[in-house]
């Protein structure tokens, strides 16, 4: 069994717009160990979300190799080895918290076990809200439901596209800490697309910094901060040095 969680080799993606061909990604190489949490950061339009969609089997690469846990993304998706969480939690308004989570099991044709659903509801801290409808939940709570729905199918790989981008700073930071706790308990290879440098440093084992379009991986930066991490680590000079290094790459000072 491969020890590689995510493997991109010479990945290229082009789109046709009218009579023009736009290269979104070009010659992307990235290898991440299984069980890691990696963040992609880079300018808007650099192809971060395109990489996530290729790994999730939602887009096809124009050329190159993309593997998740040694599998082609299409195969991994068919085998239910991948879950994706987007910025919009997309909850069904007529279903409760429990019902929205159970929907993932219904879609993949798995039996619904009450204890299994109870466990994932507890994992994301929503035990007292299992009967609530989305309209009764805050934005952060809705995103917790979306994360629980992603986890209930027990994926090998979790892909997250700006899951906290629409939340206020306080809620975002609380969910950052929750995500770290959940990730540590589940040991899932996780790829996070984010525009937040401090979020990337706080959460990640590795931060991949991308160039402007056509997107390439400029630098892969291991984040060597001890776990478990709290917000206190953000005051550490080492944390700040990582932020400064990534900022220098993104803003052309590197």
């Amino acid at each position: 069994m491969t020890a590689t969680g995510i493997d991109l080799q010479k990945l290229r993606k082009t789109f046709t717009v009218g009579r023009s061909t736009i290269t979104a990604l070009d010659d992307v190489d990235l290898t991440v160990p299984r069980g890691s949490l990696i963040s992609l950061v880079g300018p808007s339009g650099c192809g971060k979300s395109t990489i996530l969609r290729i790994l999730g089997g939602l887009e096809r690469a124009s050329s190159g190799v993309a593997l998740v846990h040694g599998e082609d993304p299409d195969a991994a998706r068919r085998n239910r080895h991948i879950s994706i969480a987007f910025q919009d939690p997309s909850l069904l308004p007529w279903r409760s918290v429990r019902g929205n989570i159970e929907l993932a099991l219904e879609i993949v044709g798995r039996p619904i076990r009450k204890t299994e659903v109870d466990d994932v509801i507890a994992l994301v801290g929503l035990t007292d809200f299992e009967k609530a409808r989305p309209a009764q939940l805050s934005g952060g709570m809705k995103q917790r439901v979306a994360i629980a729905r992603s986890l209930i199918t027990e994926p090998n790989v979790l892909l997250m596209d700006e899951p906290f981008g629409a939340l206020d700073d306080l809620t975002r930071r609380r969910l950052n800490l929750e995500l770290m706790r959940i990730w540590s308990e589940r040991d899932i290879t996780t790829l996070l697309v984010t525009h937040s440098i401090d979020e990337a440093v706080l959460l990640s084992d590795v931060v991949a910094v991308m160039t402007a379009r056509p997107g390439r991986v400029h630098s892969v930066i291991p984040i060597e901060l001890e776990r478990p991490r709290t917000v206190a680590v953000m005051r550490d000079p080492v944390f700040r040095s990582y932020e400064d290094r990534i900022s220098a790459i993104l803003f052309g000072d590197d």
Side-chain angles (χ1 to χ4, degrees):
M1 181 181 293
T2 178
T4 301
I6 293 171
D7 188 17
L8 306 177
Q9 300 175 27
K10 305 295 182 184
L11 192 70
R12 180 179 173 86
K13 177 63 179 178
T14 61
F15 295 96
T16 300
V17 180
R19 297 182 179 179
S20 301
T21 298
I22 295 175
T23 302
L25 300 169
D26 189 33
D27 202 26
V28 173
D29 289 309
L30 181 64
T31 302
V32 181
R34 187 176 290 222
S36 298
L37 196 159
I38 177 171
S39 289
L40 296 181
V41 299
S44 294
C46 72
K48 301 184 297 295
S49 293
T50 301
I51 288 176
L52 180 143
R53 291 178 66 83
I54 289 171
L55 289 170
L58 303 177
E59 298 270 3
R60 289 186 180 275
S62 300
S63 61
V65 173
L67 298 173
V68 283
H69 280 222
E71 290 184 293
D72 175 90
D74 286 341
R77 192 176 183 206
R78 285 195 305 272
N79 294 329
R80 315 298 184 186
H81 293 164
I82 296 173
S83 281
I84 305 176
F86 294 103
Q87 185 176 121
D88 182 350
S90 299
L91 305 181
L92 297 182
W94 60 88
R95 283 195 174 222
S96 65
V97 166
R98 175 178 291 276
N100 270 285
I101 294 168
E102 289 176 347
L103 178 64
L105 294 172
E106 294 171 17
I107 289 172
V108 302
R110 278 183 49 181
I112 296 171
R113 298 183 176 88
K114 183 179 183 300
T115 55
E116 184 180 15
V117 180
D118 287 343
D119 287 346
V120 79
I121 288 173
L123 184 67
V124 298
L126 289 174
T127 298
D128 295 330
F129 295 90
E130 62 182 62
K131 296 181 180 179
R133 298 291 191 272
Q136 299 171 300
L137 304 176
S138 68
M141 293 167 78
K142 290 176 185 176
Q143 203 60 317
R144 288 172 187 249
V145 178
I147 292 170
R149 186 178 57 196
S150 298
L151 295 173
I152 192 66
T153 57
E154 300 181 322
N156 294 328
V157 177
L158 178 60
L159 305 174
M160 310 186 77
D161 195 356
E162 285 282 350
F164 313 129
L167 303 177
D168 64 86
D169 288 344
L170 180 59
T171 303
R172 184 173 189 147
R173 190 63 67 223
R174 285 174 174 165
L175 286 187
N176 286 166
L177 297 175
E178 285 297 299
L179 178 60
M180 281 194 290
R181 178 184 60 80
I182 292 165
W183 172 81
S184 67
E185 291 185 24
R186 289 297 178 101
D187 193 30
I188 301 171
T189 303
T190 303
L191 183 141
L192 172 70
V193 170
T194 179
H195 284 98
S196 171
I197 296 173
D198 67 355
E199 181 173 80
V201 175
L202 177 64
L203 296 178
S204 304
D205 295 308
V206 176
V207 176
V209 187
M210 297 186 64
T211 66
R213 195 180 73 225
R216 300 180 177 89
V217 175
H218 178 287
S219 301
V220 177
I221 301 172
I223 305 299
E224 297 175 348
L225 297 169
E226 289 188 12
R227 293 187 185 275
R229 296 176 193 165
T230 67
V231 291
V233 76
M234 299 174 74
R235 298 190 292 270
D236 191 311
V238 177
F239 186 97
R240 294 300 179 192
S241 71
Y242 283 123
E243 283 191 309
D244 291 344
R245 181 178 173 188
I246 293 168
S247 295
I249 296 169
L250 291 173
F251 297 108
D253 298 324
D254 182 60

